[in-house]
Amino acid sequence: MNTILSPGQIATYKQQGYLLIENFLNAEELSFWREAVTEAVEQRGGRKLPNSDAKTGEDDGINKESDYYGKVFDQLLNLWQSNEKVRKIMVDEKLGKMATELAGSDGIRIWHDQALIKRPWANPTSWHLDTPFWSFSERNALSIWVALDDATYENGCLYFIPGSCHKTTFQNPGIGKNMDAIFDVYPQFLKAKSVAVPMKAGSCSFHNGLTIHGAGANMTNGFRRAMTCAYMPDGATFNGIKNILTDEQVSKLKIGDLLNDEEQNPLIYHK
Ligand SMILES: O=C(O)CCC(=O)C(=O)O
């Protein structure tokens, strides 16, 4: 893995709120990631999470409009908890070091991983923010998005609004059917220029969870598979949002409690 970040890359990320890293995985690593994710997804039998029966494509109480959202992508979370190969990939401290450096934090925990699989003819991913969905409110939380297939203009590559992370808040317009719903909340970006980030399989991008981003429709008869991981800076505390936590986990948490359960949110790197 091409995991060494230059000061220039870190500076670009901090300014733009996203960073493309080409040729992140070599051919052998890409083949292992694909094998791991394929196996993990098959083992799930359509269940979104290891600890719930909610199926991908069904209403999960987090993303509404399941009729539409179910055809944006198949979304399978926390595969690291149910598959040993994905676990090996996700707990790699080299990934943690990259995320820590980009976040500018002392350490980083996994919030959740997710496979995002756009099937042939899938709907676009509407412009949205990530962090307002999560159970902590940290402006430097971020995600890695690794292309397992070439991500192209035709099959649903990512798009970002550069620098938007400096002005957005934790107000959440969600990810609905309307591509432009985010601009009702953030009208200052209505005229902003977006940037498409097509990438070859094995390349990756990082983005701040408060950077406005989305993805195109899949206008092809092939799959656009991505493996992603959302990272929580070490020291983050519970904000009262359930997100992917179970009812039992939430019942044990008070607002302000440290999110430091190693079983749920392992610390994968600390300075
Ligand atoms: O893969 C997609 O279509 C969207 C990805 C995304 O929004 C994310 O990784 O935060």
Side-chain angles (χ1 to χ4, degrees):
M1 284 194 296
N2 180 8
T3 59
I4 306 296
L5 291 168
S6 69
Q9 284 176 307
I10 296 172
T12 300
Y13 171 82
K14 293 221 161 129
Q15 192 182 32
Q16 309 280 25
Y18 73 93
L19 179 72
L20 168 65
I21 302 176
E22 276 166 323
N23 304 314
F24 175 61
L25 303 178
N26 66 29
E28 198 182 318
E29 289 159 349
L30 174 60
S31 137
F32 182 69
W33 278 57
R34 281 176 170 158
E35 178 193 321
V37 172
T38 304
E39 181 181 287
V41 168
E42 275 171 18
Q43 284 168 348
R44 274 292 172 82
R47 279 184 313 127
K48 276 188 97 150
L49 284 154
N51 48 13
S52 120
D53 288 332
K55 292 262 176 124
T56 182
E58 291 174 359
D59 191 348
D60 59 1
I62 299 173
N63 294 298
K64 313 286 177 234
E65 300 177 341
S66 56
D67 216 28
Y68 178 89
Y69 191 71
K71 292 187 177 173
V72 171
F73 38 47
D74 290 357
Q75 182 182 28
L76 299 111
L77 299 108
N78 277 346
L79 294 170
W80 74 269
Q81 290 179 343
S82 53
N83 181 276
E84 207 34 57
K85 289 179 186 153
V86 176
R87 182 190 180 84
K88 186 164 175 250
I89 288 170
M90 287 300 153
V91 301
D92 190 330
E93 71 163 4
K94 293 196 282 312
L95 285 179
K97 183 164 188 275
M98 292 176 92
T100 299
E101 285 174 354
L102 293 173
S105 58
D106 289 333
I108 213 86
R109 293 178 179 272
I110 291 179
W111 176 242
H112 63 61
D113 69 19
Q114 51 180 346
L116 296 176
I117 301 171
K118 273 198 193 287
R119 290 174 177 266
W121 322 123
N123 287 332
T125 316
S126 298
W127 290 114
H128 66 281
L129 304 175
D130 296 335
T131 320
F133 284 100
W134 299 338
S135 310
F136 58 96
S137 305
E138 295 290 329
R139 293 203 66 89
N140 55 349
L142 72 169
S143 291
I144 186 173
W145 192 99
V146 181
L148 300 182
D149 298 302
D150 291 352
T152 64
Y153 296 109
E154 290 81 16
N155 73 1
C157 69
L158 292 178
Y159 288 73
F160 296 101
I161 298 197
S164 48
C165 56
H166 302 298
K167 305 246 173 70
T168 50
T169 65
F170 294 98
Q171 213 182 323
N172 192 4
I175 316 183
K177 321 188 215 232
N178 290 330
M179 198 65 190
D180 63 351
I182 193 123
F183 303 109
D184 294 339
V185 178
Y186 303 106
Q188 64 269 47
F189 292 108
L190 250 178
K191 300 222 161 119
K193 213 167 151 8
S194 64
V195 175
V197 184
M199 64 178 95
K200 288 270 172 213
S203 294
C204 79
S205 58
F206 281 86
H207 63 267
N208 182 307
L210 289 174
T211 300
I212 301 177
H213 63 286
N218 187 350
M219 304 298 275
T220 76
N221 60 7
F223 282 75
R224 188 233 64 186
R225 294 170 300 169
M227 187 59 196
T228 78
C229 187
Y231 297 112
M232 172 172 71
D234 187 35
T237 57
F238 183 54
N239 62 8
I241 297 176
K242 179 172 186 286
N243 189 228
I244 59 156
L245 299 175
T246 60
D247 289 335
E248 196 193 341
Q249 285 167 324
V250 170
S251 72
K252 292 184 187 145
L253 285 167
K254 293 187 306 303
I255 291 177
D257 281 352
L258 262 185
L259 291 169
N260 60 358
D261 176 354
E262 286 296 320
E263 297 291 308
Q264 180 67 16
N265 304 118
L267 182 68
I268 56 167
Y269 180 79
H270 202 276
K271 279 185 196 163

